[in-house]
């Protein structure tokens, strides 16, 4: 009796059409033991609410990753699994009111703070901040932010702002907060203005609460200027840089003419007056020197093959 080929292949049409006898059947790769243990730990945490068992399962998964020879071949997946294990472990410790052990538990697997994943570091900051112990994260986050490899991560600015709002300002470390804000890598322009405003308010509050403290008596230039004035200064600086670059891109005679017109408008001197001749002569000498210096610097540039 003949078999109907269309009937025998029907259950496999949903996988991209009927299989031919010459096509090899590719079986799905089995998940690694660490992934299986991760799923088990998440199930124990969320469904069964067995937090101790969830923590122990995470630790077994970590040991499985350490002994897994194939982990190096799937480095990206391994990093994601490690981060997820930390998230489950942190939640389990917090649920058992063992939040003081979170930082040491995480660092025993990552060894140094600079290697902590951004998500794990964020959870630690939020946890210790919620428990009114932000000082435990001070050195850890500072070391993480100073690492050059971390400064290229997309989460860097968010963690810098979190460190400012949840660690430095609550601890009253205003000088360190100002140093962090001064870093152009950590904050964009909008974040910079908001951070300065937050530091300014924190300093005023500190002066009211501790009028004789050493930190409150330190001079602060950012405290004497409002955010609107600071933004105005930044705008004027941009206009000045643009004007200077435009002037130096013009020929020498036009640059000299622009300088003379500027002096006419600002200084209001009479160029026809004999007393103005020495000034015009010195101005021309200055422009000659600037032009010669620019040309000489261009000639000194190394020639690339």
């Amino acid at each position: 009796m003949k078999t109907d080929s269309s009937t025998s292949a029907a259950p496999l049409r949903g996988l991209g059409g009927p299989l031919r006898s010459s096509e090899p059947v590719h079986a799905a790769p089995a998940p690694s033991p660490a992934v299986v243990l991760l799923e088990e730990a998440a199930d124990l945490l969320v469904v069964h609410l067995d937090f101790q068992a969830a923590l122990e399962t995470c630790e077994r998964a970590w040991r499985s990753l350490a002994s897994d020879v194939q982990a190096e071949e799937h480095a990206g997946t391994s990093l994601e699994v490690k981060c997820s294990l930390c998230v489950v472990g942190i939640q389990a410790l917090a649920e058992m009111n063992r939040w003081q052990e979170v930082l040491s538990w995480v660092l025993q697997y990552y060894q140094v703070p600079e290697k902590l994943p951004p998500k794990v570091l964020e959870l630690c900051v939020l946890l210790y901040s919620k428990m009114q112990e932000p000082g435990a994260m001070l050195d850890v986050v500072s070391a993480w932010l100073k690492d050059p490899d971390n400064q290229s991560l997309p989460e860097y600015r968010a963690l810098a702002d979190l460190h400012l709002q949840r660690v430095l300002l609550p601890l009253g470390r205003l000088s360190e907060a100002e140093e962090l804000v001064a870093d152009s890598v950590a904050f964009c322009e909008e974040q910079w203005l908001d951070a300065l405003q937050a530091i300014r308010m924190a300093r005023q509050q500190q002066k009211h609460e501790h009028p004789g403290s050493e930190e409150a008596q330190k001079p602060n230039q950012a405290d004497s200027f409002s955010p609107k004035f600071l933004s105005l200064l930044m705008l004027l600086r941009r206009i000045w840089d643009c004007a200077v670059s435009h002037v130096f891109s013009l020929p020498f005679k036009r640059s000299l003419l622009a300088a003379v017109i500027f002096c006419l408008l600002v200084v209001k001197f009479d160029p026809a007056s004999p007393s103005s001749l020495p000034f015009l002569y010195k101005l021309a000498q200055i422009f000659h020197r600037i032009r010669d210096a620019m040309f000489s610097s261009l000639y000194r540039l190394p020639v690339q093959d």
Side-chain angles (χ1 to χ4, degrees):
M1 184 177 67
K2 296 182 180 180
T3 59
D4 189 358
S5 61
S6 62
T7 303
S8 62
L12 300 176
R13 292 183 184 275
L15 299 176
L19 293 176
R20 300 192 181 99
S21 59
S22 60
E23 296 180 355
V25 179
H26 298 283
S32 64
V35 174
V36 175
L37 291 173
L38 171 61
E39 295 176 356
E40 181 182 347
D43 187 67
L44 290 169
L45 176 70
V46 178
V47 180
H48 301 284
L49 302 181
D50 192 344
F51 307 124
Q52 181 62 38
L55 180 64
E56 294 174 354
T57 305
C58 289
E59 293 173 346
R60 285 165 49 202
W62 273 103
R63 291 193 293 269
S64 175
L65 284 173
S67 60
D68 189 2
V69 181
Q70 298 179 352
E72 297 181 357
E73 300 178 1
H74 307 282
T77 305
S78 177
L79 292 176
E80 294 177 1
V81 173
K82 290 178 180 179
C83 181
S84 300
L85 287 172
C86 283
V87 172
V88 176
I90 291 172
Q91 184 66 29
L93 286 170
E95 293 289 348
M96 292 186 292
N97 199 23
R98 294 166 54 186
W99 56 269
Q100 300 94 334
E101 305 174 25
V102 165
L103 187 58
S104 58
W105 185 82
V106 170
L107 288 177
Q108 70 176 331
Y109 298 113
Y110 285 96
Q111 306 301 325
V112 292
E114 293 84 351
K115 300 301 181 183
L116 289 175
K119 182 63 177 178
V120 174
L121 185 64
E122 179 185 3
L123 286 177
C124 291
V125 172
L126 293 175
L127 175 62
Y128 281 88
S129 174
K130 181 179 179 180
M131 304 309 296
Q132 305 297 322
E133 290 291 341
M137 298 299 302
L138 179 62
D139 296 334
V140 175
V141 187
S142 298
W144 193 93
L145 292 174
K146 292 177 182 178
D147 187 79
D149 295 334
N150 296 329
Q151 294 179 359
S152 59
L153 296 177
E155 301 90 350
Y156 182 82
R157 285 183 173 176
L159 282 171
D161 185 66
L162 187 68
H163 182 51
L164 175 71
Q165 302 291 342
R166 297 298 187 99
V167 179
L168 294 179
L169 294 183
L171 292 175
R173 310 296 285 263
L174 302 186
S175 298
E176 297 179 29
E178 291 169 353
E179 293 177 2
L180 179 63
V181 172
D183 185 6
S184 59
V185 180
F187 293 92
C188 61
E189 181 178 346
E190 183 178 357
Q191 289 178 319
W192 182 74
L193 293 174
D194 294 340
L196 280 182
Q197 180 68 15
I199 295 174
R200 179 172 176 269
M201 294 177 62
R203 189 175 293 278
Q204 290 179 349
Q205 183 179 1
Q206 190 182 68
K207 287 181 179 179
H208 289 300
E209 295 178 355
H210 308 285
S213 64
E214 180 181 356
E215 182 72 23
Q217 295 179 359
K218 289 184 179 180
N220 181 23
Q221 186 177 3
D223 188 29
S224 60
F225 300 108
S226 65
K228 292 184 179 180
F229 184 70
L230 292 173
S231 60
L232 178 61
L233 288 178
M234 294 181 64
L235 178 62
L236 291 175
R237 179 183 175 184
R238 291 179 180 176
I239 295 175
W240 172 254
D241 293 339
C242 181
V244 170
S245 61
H246 180 68
V247 167
F248 281 109
S249 64
L250 297 174
F252 172 70
K253 293 182 179 179
R254 292 184 182 179
S255 301
L256 182 60
L257 179 61
V260 172
I261 294 175
F262 177 79
C263 293
L264 287 174
L265 295 176
V266 178
V267 185
K268 297 181 180 180
F269 74 102
D270 184 9
S273 175
S275 61
S276 302
L277 294 179
F279 176 78
L280 293 175
Y281 177 72
K282 291 181 179 179
L283 184 63
Q285 283 185 331
I286 292 173
F287 271 82
H288 275 295
R289 293 175 182 175
I290 294 175
R291 185 184 62 174
D292 295 339
M294 292 176 61
F295 286 159
S296 61
S297 62
L298 290 175
Y299 290 142
R300 285 195 299 267
L301 290 177
V303 180
Q304 299 180 355
D305 295 336

